[in-house]
Short mmCIF file of all heavy atoms in Angstrom, two decimals:
data_model
loop_
_atom_site.label_atom_id
_atom_site.label_comp_id
_atom_site.label_asym_id
_atom_site.label_seq_id
_atom_site.Cartn_x
_atom_site.Cartn_y
_atom_site.Cartn_z
N LEU B 105 6.65 -9.29 -23.15
CA LEU B 105 5.27 -9.52 -23.55
C LEU B 105 4.92 -8.53 -24.64
O LEU B 105 4.94 -7.32 -24.40
CB LEU B 105 4.37 -9.30 -22.34
CG LEU B 105 2.95 -9.80 -22.43
CD1 LEU B 105 2.95 -11.31 -22.23
CD2 LEU B 105 2.10 -9.14 -21.38
N VAL B 106 4.63 -9.00 -25.83
CA VAL B 106 4.39 -8.08 -26.93
C VAL B 106 2.90 -7.93 -27.19
O VAL B 106 2.19 -8.91 -27.36
CB VAL B 106 5.08 -8.55 -28.22
CG1 VAL B 106 4.77 -7.60 -29.37
CG2 VAL B 106 6.58 -8.62 -27.99
N LYS B 107 2.46 -6.70 -27.18
CA LYS B 107 1.06 -6.44 -27.50
C LYS B 107 1.03 -5.59 -28.75
O LYS B 107 1.58 -4.49 -28.79
CB LYS B 107 0.41 -5.71 -26.34
CG LYS B 107 -1.06 -5.43 -26.57
CD LYS B 107 -1.82 -5.36 -25.27
CE LYS B 107 -3.29 -5.07 -25.52
NZ LYS B 107 -3.94 -6.18 -26.24
N VAL B 108 0.41 -6.10 -29.80
CA VAL B 108 0.37 -5.37 -31.04
C VAL B 108 -0.97 -4.67 -31.15
O VAL B 108 -2.01 -5.31 -31.17
CB VAL B 108 0.57 -6.31 -32.24
CG1 VAL B 108 0.46 -5.54 -33.53
CG2 VAL B 108 1.92 -6.98 -32.16
N SER B 109 -0.90 -3.38 -31.15
CA SER B 109 -2.09 -2.54 -31.30
C SER B 109 -3.14 -2.88 -30.26
O SER B 109 -2.88 -3.51 -29.26
CB SER B 109 -2.67 -2.69 -32.70
OG SER B 109 -3.32 -3.95 -32.82
N GLY B 110 -4.34 -2.49 -30.53
CA GLY B 110 -5.41 -2.73 -29.57
C GLY B 110 -5.27 -1.77 -28.41
O GLY B 110 -4.27 -1.09 -28.26
N LYS B 111 -6.28 -1.74 -27.59
CA LYS B 111 -6.21 -0.81 -26.48
C LYS B 111 -5.18 -1.29 -25.46
O LYS B 111 -4.99 -2.48 -25.23
CB LYS B 111 -7.58 -0.61 -25.84
CG LYS B 111 -8.44 -1.85 -25.79
CD LYS B 111 -9.75 -1.61 -25.11
CE LYS B 111 -10.07 -2.86 -24.27
NZ LYS B 111 -9.55 -4.11 -24.88
N ILE B 112 -4.55 -0.35 -24.88
CA ILE B 112 -3.47 -0.64 -23.96
C ILE B 112 -4.03 -1.03 -22.60
O ILE B 112 -3.35 -1.60 -21.76
CB ILE B 112 -2.57 0.61 -23.86
CG1 ILE B 112 -1.17 0.20 -23.45
CG2 ILE B 112 -3.14 1.61 -22.90
CD1 ILE B 112 -0.25 1.39 -23.40
N THR B 113 -5.29 -0.73 -22.41
CA THR B 113 -5.95 -1.02 -21.14
C THR B 113 -6.15 -2.51 -21.03
O THR B 113 -7.16 -3.05 -21.43
CB THR B 113 -7.32 -0.33 -21.09
OG1 THR B 113 -7.18 0.96 -21.67
CG2 THR B 113 -7.81 -0.21 -19.67
N ASP B 114 -5.21 -3.12 -20.44
CA ASP B 114 -5.19 -4.56 -20.47
C ASP B 114 -4.46 -5.01 -19.21
O ASP B 114 -3.37 -4.55 -18.91
CB ASP B 114 -4.41 -4.99 -21.72
CG ASP B 114 -4.40 -6.48 -21.90
OD1 ASP B 114 -4.34 -7.20 -20.89
OD2 ASP B 114 -4.44 -6.92 -23.06
N ASP B 115 -5.07 -5.91 -18.49
CA ASP B 115 -4.45 -6.36 -17.24
C ASP B 115 -3.03 -6.84 -17.47
O ASP B 115 -2.15 -6.59 -16.67
CB ASP B 115 -5.27 -7.50 -16.63
CG ASP B 115 -6.57 -6.98 -16.05
OD1 ASP B 115 -6.66 -5.76 -15.86
OD2 ASP B 115 -7.44 -7.81 -15.78
N GLU B 116 -2.85 -7.54 -18.58
CA GLU B 116 -1.53 -8.09 -18.83
C GLU B 116 -0.49 -6.98 -18.95
O GLU B 116 0.64 -7.12 -18.49
CB GLU B 116 -1.53 -8.93 -20.12
CG GLU B 116 -2.26 -10.25 -19.98
CD GLU B 116 -1.59 -11.17 -18.95
OE1 GLU B 116 -0.40 -11.01 -18.68
OE2 GLU B 116 -2.30 -12.04 -18.41
N VAL B 117 -0.89 -5.90 -19.58
CA VAL B 117 0.04 -4.78 -19.72
C VAL B 117 0.26 -4.12 -18.36
O VAL B 117 1.38 -3.90 -17.93
CB VAL B 117 -0.49 -3.74 -20.73
CG1 VAL B 117 0.37 -2.49 -20.71
CG2 VAL B 117 -0.51 -4.35 -22.12
N TYR B 118 -0.84 -3.85 -17.68
CA TYR B 118 -0.72 -3.22 -16.38
C TYR B 118 -0.01 -4.12 -15.38
O TYR B 118 0.63 -3.67 -14.46
CB TYR B 118 -2.11 -2.86 -15.83
CG TYR B 118 -2.69 -1.65 -16.48
CD1 TYR B 118 -3.98 -1.66 -16.97
CD2 TYR B 118 -1.93 -0.49 -16.62
CE1 TYR B 118 -4.51 -0.55 -17.59
CE2 TYR B 118 -2.45 0.62 -17.24
CZ TYR B 118 -3.74 0.58 -17.71
OH TYR B 118 -4.27 1.68 -18.33
N GLY B 119 -0.15 -5.41 -15.61
CA GLY B 119 0.43 -6.35 -14.67
C GLY B 119 1.93 -6.50 -14.79
O GLY B 119 2.57 -7.02 -13.89
N SER B 120 2.49 -6.03 -15.89
CA SER B 120 3.92 -6.21 -16.06
C SER B 120 4.69 -5.14 -15.30
O SER B 120 4.14 -4.16 -14.83
CB SER B 120 4.27 -6.20 -17.54
OG SER B 120 3.70 -5.07 -18.15
N ASP B 121 5.97 -5.38 -15.19
CA ASP B 121 6.79 -4.49 -14.37
C ASP B 121 7.05 -3.15 -15.03
O ASP B 121 7.44 -2.19 -14.38
CB ASP B 121 8.13 -5.17 -14.07
CG ASP B 121 7.94 -6.48 -13.34
OD1 ASP B 121 7.01 -6.56 -12.52
OD2 ASP B 121 8.72 -7.43 -13.58
N GLY B 122 6.88 -3.11 -16.33
CA GLY B 122 7.13 -1.87 -17.04
C GLY B 122 6.59 -1.97 -18.45
O GLY B 122 6.27 -3.05 -18.92
N VAL B 123 6.47 -0.84 -19.10
CA VAL B 123 5.92 -0.83 -20.45
C VAL B 123 6.84 -0.05 -21.39
O VAL B 123 7.33 1.02 -21.05
CB VAL B 123 4.52 -0.18 -20.46
CG1 VAL B 123 3.99 -0.07 -21.88
CG2 VAL B 123 3.55 -0.97 -19.61
N ILE B 124 7.09 -0.65 -22.53
CA ILE B 124 7.80 0.06 -23.60
C ILE B 124 6.79 0.32 -24.70
O ILE B 124 6.14 -0.60 -25.18
CB ILE B 124 8.97 -0.78 -24.14
CG1 ILE B 124 10.04 -0.94 -23.06
CG2 ILE B 124 9.57 -0.13 -25.37
CD1 ILE B 124 11.20 -1.85 -23.46
N LEU B 125 6.67 1.57 -25.07
CA LEU B 125 5.68 1.97 -26.07
C LEU B 125 6.40 2.28 -27.38
O LEU B 125 7.23 3.18 -27.43
CB LEU B 125 4.97 3.22 -25.57
CG LEU B 125 3.47 3.29 -25.64
CD1 LEU B 125 2.84 2.09 -24.99
CD2 LEU B 125 2.99 4.56 -24.95
N LEU B 126 6.07 1.53 -28.42
CA LEU B 126 6.67 1.80 -29.72
C LEU B 126 5.69 2.60 -30.54
O LEU B 126 4.68 2.06 -31.00
CB LEU B 126 6.99 0.48 -30.42
CG LEU B 126 8.41 -0.08 -30.29
CD1 LEU B 126 9.03 0.23 -28.96
CD2 LEU B 126 8.44 -1.55 -30.59
N GLY B 127 5.99 3.87 -30.75
CA GLY B 127 5.06 4.68 -31.50
C GLY B 127 4.41 5.70 -30.60
O GLY B 127 3.40 5.44 -29.97
N GLN B 128 5.06 6.81 -30.55
CA GLN B 128 4.56 7.92 -29.76
C GLN B 128 3.25 8.36 -30.39
O GLN B 128 2.70 7.70 -31.23
CB GLN B 128 5.59 9.04 -29.88
CG GLN B 128 5.80 9.87 -28.64
CD GLN B 128 6.99 10.79 -28.86
OE1 GLN B 128 7.67 10.70 -29.85
NE2 GLN B 128 7.22 11.66 -27.90
N GLY B 129 2.74 9.46 -29.94
CA GLY B 129 1.59 10.01 -30.66
C GLY B 129 0.33 9.23 -30.45
O GLY B 129 -0.54 9.65 -29.70
N ALA B 130 0.29 8.07 -31.06
CA ALA B 130 -0.92 7.27 -31.01
C ALA B 130 -1.35 6.97 -29.58
O ALA B 130 -2.51 6.70 -29.31
CB ALA B 130 -0.73 5.97 -31.78
N HIS B 131 -0.39 7.05 -28.68
CA HIS B 131 -0.71 6.60 -27.33
C HIS B 131 -0.55 7.69 -26.27
O HIS B 131 -0.44 7.39 -25.10
CB HIS B 131 0.19 5.42 -26.96
CG HIS B 131 -0.07 4.21 -27.75
ND1 HIS B 131 -1.32 3.67 -27.88
CD2 HIS B 131 0.73 3.41 -28.47
CE1 HIS B 131 -1.27 2.60 -28.64
NE2 HIS B 131 -0.02 2.43 -29.03
N GLU B 132 -0.56 8.92 -26.71
CA GLU B 132 -0.34 10.02 -25.76
C GLU B 132 -1.14 9.84 -24.48
O GLU B 132 -0.61 9.91 -23.37
CB GLU B 132 -0.71 11.37 -26.41
CG GLU B 132 0.29 11.90 -27.41
CD GLU B 132 1.61 12.34 -26.77
OE1 GLU B 132 1.72 12.29 -25.54
OE2 GLU B 132 2.53 12.71 -27.52
N ASP B 133 -2.43 9.59 -24.65
CA ASP B 133 -3.29 9.48 -23.47
C ASP B 133 -2.98 8.23 -22.67
O ASP B 133 -2.92 8.26 -21.45
CB ASP B 133 -4.76 9.51 -23.89
CG ASP B 133 -5.02 8.56 -25.05
OD1 ASP B 133 -4.04 8.13 -25.69
OD2 ASP B 133 -6.19 8.26 -25.31
N ALA B 134 -2.76 7.14 -23.39
CA ALA B 134 -2.43 5.89 -22.72
C ALA B 134 -1.16 6.07 -21.91
O ALA B 134 -1.06 5.61 -20.77
CB ALA B 134 -2.26 4.77 -23.74
N ALA B 135 -0.19 6.76 -22.49
CA ALA B 135 1.08 7.00 -21.81
C ALA B 135 0.84 7.78 -20.53
O ALA B 135 1.39 7.44 -19.47
CB ALA B 135 2.01 7.77 -22.73
N GLU B 136 0.00 8.77 -20.62
CA GLU B 136 -0.28 9.59 -19.45
C GLU B 136 -0.90 8.74 -18.35
O GLU B 136 -0.52 8.81 -17.19
CB GLU B 136 -1.22 10.72 -19.85
CG GLU B 136 -1.27 11.85 -18.84
CD GLU B 136 -2.56 12.63 -18.97
OE1 GLU B 136 -3.23 12.50 -20.03
OE2 GLU B 136 -2.92 13.34 -18.01
N GLN B 137 -1.83 7.91 -18.77
CA GLN B 137 -2.52 7.06 -17.79
C GLN B 137 -1.55 6.10 -17.11
O GLN B 137 -1.57 5.94 -15.89
CB GLN B 137 -3.63 6.26 -18.49
CG GLN B 137 -4.59 5.62 -17.52
CD GLN B 137 -5.58 4.70 -18.21
OE1 GLN B 137 -5.73 4.76 -19.42
NE2 GLN B 137 -6.24 3.87 -17.43
N LEU B 138 -0.69 5.50 -17.91
CA LEU B 138 0.30 4.59 -17.35
C LEU B 138 1.17 5.33 -16.33
O LEU B 138 1.46 4.82 -15.25
CB LEU B 138 1.18 4.01 -18.45
CG LEU B 138 0.55 2.91 -19.27
CD1 LEU B 138 1.38 2.62 -20.52
CD2 LEU B 138 0.41 1.64 -18.44
N GLY B 139 1.57 6.53 -16.70
CA GLY B 139 2.39 7.33 -15.80
C GLY B 139 1.66 7.55 -14.48
O GLY B 139 2.23 7.37 -13.40
N ARG B 140 0.39 7.87 -14.56
CA ARG B 140 -0.39 8.14 -13.34
C ARG B 140 -0.47 6.89 -12.46
O ARG B 140 -0.52 6.97 -11.25
CB ARG B 140 -1.78 8.62 -13.72
CG ARG B 140 -2.12 9.97 -13.10
CD ARG B 140 -3.50 10.46 -13.42
NE ARG B 140 -3.94 10.22 -14.77
CZ ARG B 140 -4.87 9.33 -15.10
NH1 ARG B 140 -5.45 8.59 -14.18
NH2 ARG B 140 -5.23 9.18 -16.36
N MET B 141 -0.50 5.72 -13.13
CA MET B 141 -0.62 4.49 -12.35
C MET B 141 0.72 4.03 -11.81
O MET B 141 0.80 2.99 -11.18
CB MET B 141 -1.24 3.41 -13.22
CG MET B 141 -2.55 3.84 -13.81
SD MET B 141 -3.58 2.48 -14.33
CE MET B 141 -3.80 1.54 -12.86
N GLY B 142 1.74 4.80 -12.09
CA GLY B 142 3.04 4.44 -11.54
C GLY B 142 3.69 3.28 -12.25
O GLY B 142 4.54 2.60 -11.69
N VAL B 143 3.29 3.04 -13.50
CA VAL B 143 3.93 1.99 -14.27
C VAL B 143 5.15 2.58 -14.97
O VAL B 143 5.02 3.56 -15.69
CB VAL B 143 2.97 1.43 -15.35
CG1 VAL B 143 3.61 0.26 -16.08
CG2 VAL B 143 1.67 1.01 -14.71
N PRO B 144 6.32 2.01 -14.74
CA PRO B 144 7.50 2.51 -15.45
C PRO B 144 7.25 2.47 -16.95
O PRO B 144 6.72 1.50 -17.46
CB PRO B 144 8.60 1.52 -15.04
CG PRO B 144 8.16 1.00 -13.72
CD PRO B 144 6.66 0.94 -13.80
N LEU B 145 7.62 3.54 -17.61
CA LEU B 145 7.27 3.68 -19.02
C LEU B 145 8.41 4.30 -19.81
O LEU B 145 8.98 5.32 -19.41
CB LEU B 145 6.04 4.58 -19.13
CG LEU B 145 5.61 4.99 -20.54
CD1 LEU B 145 5.09 3.79 -21.30
CD2 LEU B 145 4.55 6.08 -20.46
N VAL B 146 8.74 3.68 -20.93
CA VAL B 146 9.70 4.26 -21.85
C VAL B 146 9.08 4.23 -23.24
O VAL B 146 8.43 3.26 -23.61
CB VAL B 146 11.03 3.48 -21.86
CG1 VAL B 146 11.99 4.06 -22.88
CG2 VAL B 146 11.67 3.49 -20.49
N VAL B 147 9.26 5.31 -23.97
CA VAL B 147 8.62 5.45 -25.27
C VAL B 147 9.66 5.58 -26.37
O VAL B 147 10.67 6.25 -26.19
CB VAL B 147 7.70 6.70 -25.28
CG1 VAL B 147 7.05 6.88 -26.65
CG2 VAL B 147 6.64 6.58 -24.20
N TRP B 148 9.42 4.90 -27.48
CA TRP B 148 10.27 5.11 -28.65
C TRP B 148 9.66 6.23 -29.46
O TRP B 148 8.49 6.17 -29.83
CB TRP B 148 10.34 3.85 -29.53
CG TRP B 148 11.11 4.07 -30.79
CD1 TRP B 148 10.61 4.42 -32.00
CD2 TRP B 148 12.53 3.99 -30.96
NE1 TRP B 148 11.62 4.56 -32.91
CE2 TRP B 148 12.82 4.30 -32.30
CE3 TRP B 148 13.59 3.68 -30.10
CZ2 TRP B 148 14.12 4.31 -32.81
CZ3 TRP B 148 14.88 3.69 -30.61
CH2 TRP B 148 15.13 4.00 -31.96
N GLY B 149 10.42 7.23 -29.71
CA GLY B 149 9.87 8.34 -30.47
C GLY B 149 10.89 9.41 -30.66
O GLY B 149 12.01 9.16 -31.07
N SER B 150 10.46 10.59 -30.34
CA SER B 150 11.27 11.77 -30.62
C SER B 150 11.82 12.30 -29.30
O SER B 150 11.12 12.96 -28.55
CB SER B 150 10.36 12.77 -31.31
OG SER B 150 10.89 14.04 -31.20
N PRO B 151 13.08 12.01 -28.99
CA PRO B 151 13.61 12.30 -27.67
C PRO B 151 13.90 13.77 -27.43
O PRO B 151 14.19 14.18 -26.31
CB PRO B 151 14.92 11.50 -27.62
CG PRO B 151 15.24 11.16 -29.02
CD PRO B 151 14.06 11.43 -29.88
N THR B 152 13.81 14.58 -28.48
CA THR B 152 14.17 15.98 -28.29
C THR B 152 13.10 16.77 -27.55
O THR B 152 13.41 17.71 -26.83
CB THR B 152 14.41 16.64 -29.66
OG1 THR B 152 13.39 16.18 -30.54
CG2 THR B 152 15.76 16.23 -30.20
N ARG B 153 11.88 16.40 -27.74
CA ARG B 153 10.82 17.12 -27.04
C ARG B 153 10.78 16.68 -25.58
O ARG B 153 11.11 15.56 -25.25
CB ARG B 153 9.47 16.82 -27.68
CG ARG B 153 9.43 17.29 -29.10
CD ARG B 153 8.14 16.97 -29.79
NE ARG B 153 8.41 16.91 -31.22
CZ ARG B 153 8.95 17.91 -31.91
NH1 ARG B 153 9.28 19.05 -31.30
NH2 ARG B 153 9.19 17.79 -33.19
#
Side-chain angles (χ1 to χ4, degrees):
Chain B
L105 194 77
V106 178
K107 181 152 180 65
V108 178
S109 74
K111 36 178 219 328
I112 205 177
T113 320
D114 184 323
D115 287 345
E116 287 297 337
V117 172
Y118 284 131
S120 50
D121 301 325
V123 176
I124 293 176
L125 227 53
L126 265 34
Q128 216 172 354
H131 293 308
E132 285 291 356
D133 48 345
E136 196 203 343
Q137 194 187 344
L138 283 168
R140 236 182 320 109
M141 305 200 59
V143 185
L145 173 68
V146 177
V147 178
W148 175 266
S150 159
T152 42
R153 298 178 204 304

